[in-house]
């Protein structure tokens, strides 16, 4: 006797494992092994993969509103094979729902719900509820836009249930609104409560299955009996491999699961549930007002009740399909209905240009959030990361504060100058030719303040000599600081003759304080732009006259704006970049934020650096009873 | 095995067994190998070691012969979180003479507790397992396997002190840097 079998004997004597194994493997399959029996086992395999990948994700996921998204991002982008593990879990959940539907369809078709297997049918329905619960709770956990908004719809539906709705919703959410406790509660359900319920139900489900065995088709030759091992098990394993291969292919194709932008309660988001809930989602569109509950609760409730009651309704003995056409037909109709609703929902979204546009915006934001999170997320969470991001913050401020008057790239208010190409020679030339055009001051309170260099004012046609193009070009070169030395020289000369009477250069020239022509010494630089935004009437750009209440709708000083005052540098850089088509250099940024030299130009005083934090020196430990006043930086 | 083995049933039975084994192993492998790699992410060392330099204060804030604990303030990346200007740890500074400063890690080489000034106010002591060290960091008594860990400290212009913040393996007699 070999050592191996002697060890086996010794183990068997102590555990009885051989009998157990035989019991598991030698289960009789009446009517012979069949491919149609694979779904239960494949479903089990799929759930095993969910369990393993779920444990792995648990080891790196942090459920709180400020950490969930960042930890999921970290899993997907920084951890070894993290994208693959999370991808398996994500696509595996979809596969589980599909397999569950197939398992239900197969057992219903074969009449496996009938006496004496009613209880097992019900355990199966219970398992279906648990699996859908896993889907619902798991979808929220990344705390991204997609999961956040889809789940909010689901919990709001809970809230519409009569009598108990409000309390149920509050319990599920852990409060009146979404936050840390929504996540911790959903997480507890997802990784604690639902798995426990699942194990209890699956044990009962399998035990009853073993008690009653498979439900062979009516025509099957019951004299033929296979054992579970090896034929049926081989079918099951191969089918599981096929299902698994599909999941892996999806994971590899998409390089893991998607992660939308961080959940943002203040955003508008085109919320859609995960694809297997789309039918329910579509149903909501058909029932309005008092009928709303038909779509949210009654119809799904009718389906659930029908499935539950099926073994009680269909009591005719025998599993022959002919006797059960009504019931099987009803289930088929249900599947068709779900399919049709899902298709209708997809179709509607494909045709809805508003949705497509919103989806595109959301996708761009998601891609950008994922990109900047590679550098790490601040402790306050990913929303703060986005808020502090210069590009996004700049865009937001522009939209909210600037574009109400100014235009850029064809979008905006139009009552203040178009800033497309601001800071360039072309912009100056256009202003000189048509200062009161729609692109400049036409609708602004400064309309009529600057004469055109090429068109005579009404009544002055006789004495008017339009400025030649070459001269305009030279002046524009001088003001914008770009051009050949000859141009700049000619521009400078022309400027002192033709422009300096109104426009000062570094405080030199111009009229008095009521003059509304801006100082053009630094026009086109980040420094000028920043001053203009902070306070247009501070003298660096315009003089105090520009803020005269007489100029109704003049530009405000954003240094006094509560929303923007901390972001003046940021928005100046954003507009500079957008208008000039290049980002400011480090020197330009330094110049714009450093104290400006006053005219006449004096040597720039070196900006006083903020004092270095230093340890408070009074830390002689030996003289005190508690001798270690840890000298933190003051 | 109890069942009869007919000659033609044998190969197909073997086929089923092989199919089962191959399919199960394929699934287990495609999940298991990435799973192991995933769990092993921390073993992929990211910190290059060597420690970073931090300004901890100025020479004239220290009194000769009296240790002072100073905080190391710097930026930190912890998994997904990047935080700025955080207290990363502390260091004992001892001005040995007018122009010489010594820096000692506060982490006890025994099992990593924070070393404090002893009750006699003349030595360092670990509050966990009673290791004691002289102000020079030399082990005097207790279970610590080595002296307190000295850290490189530089005296720069204007008396600015810069410490290289290193961490060392705990519980062994040699001083071996982590990372």
């Amino acid at each position: 006797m070999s050592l191996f079998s002697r060890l086996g004997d010794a183990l068997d004597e102590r555990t009885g494992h051989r009998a157990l194994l035989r019991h598991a493997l030698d289960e009789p399959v009446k009517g012979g092994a069949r491919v149609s029996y694979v779904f239960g086992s494949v479903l089990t395999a799929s759930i095993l993969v969910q369990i393993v990948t779920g444990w792995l994700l648990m080891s790196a996921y942090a459920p709180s509103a400020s950490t969930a998204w960042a930890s999921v991002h970290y899993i997907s982008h920084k951890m070894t094979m993290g994208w693959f593990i999370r991808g398996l879990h994500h696509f595996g959940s979809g596969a589980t729902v599909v397999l569950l539907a197939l398992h239900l369809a197969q057992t219903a078709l074969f009449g496996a719900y009938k006496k004496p297997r009613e209880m097992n049918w019900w355990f199966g329905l219970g398992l279906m509820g648990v699996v859908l619960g896993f889907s619902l709770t798991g979808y929220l956990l990344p705390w991204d836009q997609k999961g956040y908004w889809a789940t909010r719809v689901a919990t709001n539906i809970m809230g519409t249930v009569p009598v108990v709705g409000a309390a149920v919703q509050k319990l599920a959410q852990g409060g009146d609104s979404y936050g840390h406790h929504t996540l911790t509660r959903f997480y507890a359900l997802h990784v604690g409560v639902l798995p426990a319920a699942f194990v209890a139900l699956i044990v009962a489900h399998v035990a009853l299955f073993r008690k009653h065995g498979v439900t062979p088709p009516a025509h099957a030759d019951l004299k033929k009996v296979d054992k579970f091992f090896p034929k049926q098990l081989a079918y099951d394993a191969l089918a599981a491999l096929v299902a698994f291969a599909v999941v892996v292919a999806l994971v590899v194709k998409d390089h893991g699961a998607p992660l939308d932008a961080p959940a943002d309660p203040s955003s508008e988001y085109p919320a859609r549930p995960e694809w297997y809930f789309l039918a329910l989602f579509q149903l909501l569109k058909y029932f309005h007002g008092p009928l709303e509950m038909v779509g949210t609760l009654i119809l799904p409730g009718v389906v659930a009740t029908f499935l539950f009651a099926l073994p009680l309704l269909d009591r005719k003995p025998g599993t022959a399909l002919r006797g059960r056409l009504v019931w099987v037909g009803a289930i088929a109709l249900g599947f068709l209905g779900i399919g049709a609703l899902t298709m209708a929902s997809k179709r509607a979204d494909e045709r809805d240009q508003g949705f497509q546009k919103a989806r595109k915006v959301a996708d761009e934001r998601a891609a950008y959030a994922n990109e900047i999170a590679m550098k790490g997320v601040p402790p306050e969470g990913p929303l703060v990361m986005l808020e502090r991001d210069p590009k996004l913050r700049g865009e937001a401020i522009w939209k909210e504060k600037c574009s109400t008057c100014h235009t850029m790239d064809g979008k905006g208010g139009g009552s203040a100058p178009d800033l497309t190409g601001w800071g360039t020679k072309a912009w100056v030339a256009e202003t000189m030719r048509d200062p009161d055009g729609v692109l400049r001051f036409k609708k602004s309170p400064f309309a009529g303040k600057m004469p055109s260099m090429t068109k005579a004012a009404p009544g002055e046609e006789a004495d008017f000599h339009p400025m030649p193009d070459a001269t305009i070009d030279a002046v524009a070169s001088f003001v914008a600081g770009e051009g050949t030395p000859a141009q700049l020289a000619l521009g400078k000369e022309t400027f002192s003759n033709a422009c300096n009477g109104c426009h000062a250069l570094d405080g030199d020239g111009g009229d008095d304080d009521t003059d509304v022509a801006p100082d053009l010494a630094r026009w086109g630089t980040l420094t000028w732009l920043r001053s203009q935004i902070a306070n247009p009437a501070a003298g660096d750009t315009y003089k105090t006259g520009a803020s005269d209440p007489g100029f109704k709708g003049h530009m405000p000083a954003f240094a006094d704006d509560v929303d923007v005052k901390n972001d003046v540098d940021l928005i100046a850089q954003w507009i500079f970049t957008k208008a000039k088509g290049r980002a400011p250099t480090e020197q330009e940024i330094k110049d714009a934020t450093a104290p400006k030299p006053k005219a006449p130009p004096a040597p720039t005083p070196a900006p006083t650096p903020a004092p270095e934090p230093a340890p408070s020196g009074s830390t002689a430990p030996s003289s005190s009873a508690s001798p270690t006043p840890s000298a933190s930086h003051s | 095995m109890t069942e009869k083995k007919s000659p033609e049933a044998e190969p197909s039975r073997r086929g089923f067994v092989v199919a089962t084994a191959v399919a199960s192993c394929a699934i287990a492998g495609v999940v298991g190998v990435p799973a192991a790699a995933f769990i092993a992410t921390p073993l992929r060392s990211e910190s290059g070691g060597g420690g970073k330099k931090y300004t901890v204060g100025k020479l004239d804030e220290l009194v000769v012969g009296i240790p002072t604990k100073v905080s190391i303030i710097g930026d930190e990346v912890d998994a997904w979180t990047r935080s700025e200007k955080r207290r990363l740890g502390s260091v004992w500074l001892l001005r040995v003479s007018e122009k010489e400063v010594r820096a000692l890690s506060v982490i006890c080489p025994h099992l990593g507790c924070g070393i404090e000034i002893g009750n006699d106010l003349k030595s360092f002591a670990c509050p966990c397992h009673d290791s004691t060290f002289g102000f020079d960091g030399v082990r005097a008594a207790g279970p610590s396997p080595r002296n307190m860990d000295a850290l490189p400290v530089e005296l720069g212009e204007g008396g600015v002190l810069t410490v290289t913040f290193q961490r060392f393996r705990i519980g062994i007699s040699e001083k071996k840097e982590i990372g």
Side-chain angles (χ1 to χ4, degrees):
Chain A
M1 207 188 262
S2 72
L3 176 67
F4 190 72
S5 58
R6 264 189 302 161
L7 270 176
D9 289 347
L11 189 66
D12 191 43
E13 203 182 332
R14 284 155 182 83
T15 63
H17 73 279
R18 280 180 182 149
L20 254 172
L21 208 60
R22 217 169 295 132
H23 177 71
L25 295 178
D26 291 354
E27 174 205 354
V29 182
K30 269 185 230 159
R34 272 169 206 279
V35 173
S36 38
Y37 296 152
V38 299
F39 298 109
S41 297
V42 178
L43 190 51
T44 309
S46 154
I47 282 162
L48 281 175
V49 172
Q50 291 303 98
I51 291 173
V52 172
T53 51
W55 283 337
L56 294 167
L57 294 173
M58 274 174 81
S59 75
Y61 171 73
S64 83
S66 51
T67 58
W69 188 89
S71 66
V72 173
H73 179 273
Y74 189 78
I75 289 169
S76 283
H77 294 282
K78 296 281 179 80
M79 292 186 74
T80 315
M81 294 305 277
W83 65 273
F84 186 76
I85 298 294
R86 185 168 163 252
L88 279 185
H89 200 71
H90 173 84
F91 289 105
S93 81
T96 305
V97 172
V98 171
L99 290 165
L100 194 127
L102 291 173
H103 186 48
L104 183 134
Q106 186 271 324
T107 45
L109 191 67
F110 279 44
Y113 53 83
K114 298 189 73 156
K115 187 183 167 190
R117 296 184 176 85
E118 303 97 322
M119 292 288 288
N120 213 15
W121 174 258
W122 292 331
F123 281 127
L125 291 180
L127 283 164
M128 179 167 86
V130 171
V131 167
L132 293 179
F134 272 119
S135 303
L136 184 75
T137 49
Y139 205 50
L140 177 72
L141 297 183
W143 205 247
D144 63 352
Q145 290 279 68
K146 210 179 255 180
Y148 178 88
W149 289 101
T151 313
R152 257 175 70 145
V153 171
T155 47
N156 283 333
I157 289 174
M158 281 180 206
T160 64
V161 174
V163 190
V164 292
V168 169
Q169 182 180 8
K170 217 167 164 175
L171 279 173
Q173 290 177 179
D176 285 322
S177 59
Y178 269 41
H180 290 316
H181 271 172
T182 320
L183 265 179
T184 50
R185 281 171 175 248
F186 272 58
Y187 187 57
L189 286 173
H190 193 79
V191 307
V193 179
L194 289 171
F198 186 85
V199 168
L201 286 168
I202 198 87
V203 166
H205 194 64
V206 172
L208 286 188
F209 168 69
R210 292 302 300 266
K211 180 176 165 64
H212 298 299
V214 295
T215 309
H219 59 78
D221 172 14
L222 293 183
K223 268 179 256 155
K224 188 182 172 209
V225 176
D226 277 330
K227 286 178 178 169
F228 178 63
F229 177 81
K231 199 172 174 186
Q232 186 64 52
L233 182 58
Y235 285 169
D236 291 359
L238 287 173
L241 183 62
V242 170
F244 183 69
V246 171
V247 170
V248 170
L250 288 170
V251 173
V252 172
K253 180 179 150 274
D254 284 11
H255 198 76
L259 180 63
D260 211 324
D264 182 356
S266 70
S267 65
E268 300 96 38
Y269 183 81
R272 295 290 180 274
E274 188 61 322
W275 63 267
Y276 41 80
F277 287 128
L278 274 180
L280 286 174
F281 163 82
Q282 182 68 8
L283 214 46
L284 303 182
K285 295 184 187 170
Y286 302 128
F287 301 97
H288 307 279
L291 288 179
E292 174 115 74
M293 288 238 295
V294 174
T296 56
L297 301 169
I298 295 175
L299 274 179
V302 165
V303 171
T305 311
F306 169 75
L307 288 174
F308 179 80
L310 185 60
L312 307 175
L313 297 170
D314 179 12
R315 303 178 69 119
K316 223 192 304 169
T319 56
L321 198 53
R322 214 172 308 136
R324 300 184 294 118
L325 277 178
V326 179
W327 308 115
V328 173
I331 290 174
L333 212 65
F335 273 109
L336 277 176
I338 290 172
L341 284 168
T342 307
M343 293 301 292
S345 165
K346 290 238 172 228
R347 214 23 104 60
D349 282 347
E350 275 160 24
R351 286 189 188 147
D352 182 350
Q353 288 192 350
F355 171 80
Q356 295 295 345
K357 217 168 139 193
R359 192 59 252 166
K360 194 166 161 261
V361 170
D363 285 341
E364 280 166 7
R365 191 174 165 86
Y368 190 68
N370 273 288
E371 183 192 319
I372 59 174
M374 293 303 282
K375 285 179 280 182
V377 175
E380 298 90 334
L383 277 187
V384 170
M385 170 189 83
L386 291 174
E387 264 165 37
R388 284 190 199 151
D389 180 74
K391 184 173 160 252
L392 293 181
R393 180 82 183 120
E395 243 165 48
I397 296 175
W398 169 265
K399 239 185 199 165
E400 209 175 299
K401 300 283 178 180
C402 316
S403 76
T404 43
C405 303
H406 289 284
T407 315
M408 178 105 75
D409 298 333
K411 269 189 227 164
S415 67
D418 187 327
L419 296 184
T420 315
W422 180 89
T424 61
K425 200 164 110 173
W427 203 93
V428 184
E430 170 65 25
T431 312
M432 291 171 71
R433 289 197 172 93
D434 195 7
D436 285 340
V438 280
L439 294 179
R440 294 297 179 262
F441 294 96
K442 181 170 186 161
K443 292 186 189 160
S444 83
F446 296 92
K449 293 290 169 194
M450 172 168 165
S452 165
M453 300 296 118
T454 52
K455 276 182 287 186
E460 290 174 17
E461 287 89 350
D463 291 336
F464 186 78
H465 303 289
M467 194 181 270
D469 282 349
T471 317
I472 288 188
D473 203 44
V475 173
S477 300
F478 170 69
V479 172
E482 52 177 66
T484 62
Q487 275 180 318
L488 293 176
L490 173 63
K492 189 174 179 183
E493 196 195 326
T494 316
F495 189 92
S496 21
N497 298 333
C499 317
N500 209 195
C502 300
H503 289 283
L505 276 185
D506 236 343
D508 218 7
D511 278 350
D512 50 26
D513 272 0
T514 58
D515 198 349
V516 292
D519 191 316
L520 294 181
R522 286 175 196 79
W523 187 88
T525 64
L526 185 64
T527 311
W528 197 95
L529 182 57
R530 193 205 172 281
S531 306
Q532 173 70 10
I533 295 167
N535 182 4
D540 299 322
T541 56
Y542 286 85
K543 293 174 190 164
T544 45
S547 282
D548 193 279
F551 291 121
K552 204 162 172 278
H554 67 76
M555 176 150 163
F558 284 100
D560 302 332
D561 185 300
V562 278
D563 294 330
V564 185
K565 64 179 173 192
N566 296 323
D567 294 318
V568 169
D569 290 316
L570 190 153
I571 184 63
Q573 288 165 29
W574 189 89
I575 293 175
F576 182 94
T577 308
K578 195 93 175 156
K580 296 188 80 158
R582 68 167 177 91
T585 63
E586 261 175 53
Q587 186 58 44
E588 283 172 323
I589 292 171
K590 226 176 179 180
D591 291 345
T593 40
K596 289 168 294 291
K598 285 283 160 204
T604 314
T608 329
E612 274 291 308
S616 55
S618 59
T619 48
S622 54
S623 58
S624 147
S626 64
T628 54
S630 77
S632 68
H633 290 224
S634 46
Chain B
M1 288 289 148
T2 48
E3 78 190 297
K4 272 189 219 152
K5 290 169 186 170
S6 65
E8 70 265 39
E10 189 58 23
S12 97
R13 183 186 162 84
R14 176 171 296 161
F16 288 134
V17 173
V18 168
T20 305
V22 167
S24 323
C25 290
I27 297 176
V30 174
V31 175
V33 173
F38 182 81
I39 285 296
T41 301
L43 294 181
R44 241 185 7 172
S45 175
E46 276 187 19
S47 65
K52 279 194 193 134
K53 290 181 178 180
Y54 296 91
T55 303
V56 291
K58 285 191 173 174
L59 181 66
D60 52 19
E61 290 159 347
L62 304 175
V63 181
V64 174
I66 297 172
T68 303
K69 194 154 102 175
V70 293
S71 295
I72 300 286
I73 309 264
D75 298 349
E76 180 193 53
V77 176
D78 175 11
W80 56 83
T81 305
R82 168 180 292 277
S83 24
E84 289 166 5
K85 298 196 183 84
R86 256 180 115 84
R87 286 184 60 170
L88 305 176
S90 351
V91 169
W92 281 111
L93 292 181
L94 180 70
R95 187 168 179 179
V96 189
S97 66
E98 274 309 304
K99 283 280 162 204
E100 198 191 339
V101 173
R102 198 173 283 160
L104 293 169
S105 170
V106 300
I107 299 168
C108 180
H110 177 220
L111 289 170
C113 294
I115 293 171
E116 298 286 354
I117 299 285
N119 290 335
D120 62 359
L121 305 181
K122 283 179 199 155
S123 63
F124 287 119
C126 177
C128 294
H129 311 106
D130 298 339
S131 291
T132 53
F133 309 85
F135 277 169
D136 56 0
V138 173
R139 188 174 72 100
S144 178
R146 61 173 189 258
N147 297 337
M148 283 170 75
D149 297 314
L151 300 175
V153 58
E154 285 163 40
L155 184 56
E157 229 173 280
V160 173
L161 294 167
T162 309
V163 167
T164 307
F165 190 49
Q166 299 165 315
R167 291 183 309 129
F168 303 91
R169 279 185 56 193
I170 298 294
I172 56 173
S173 54
E174 312 110 281
K175 181 180 167 190
K176 253 189 161 171
E177 201 185 342
I178 296 174

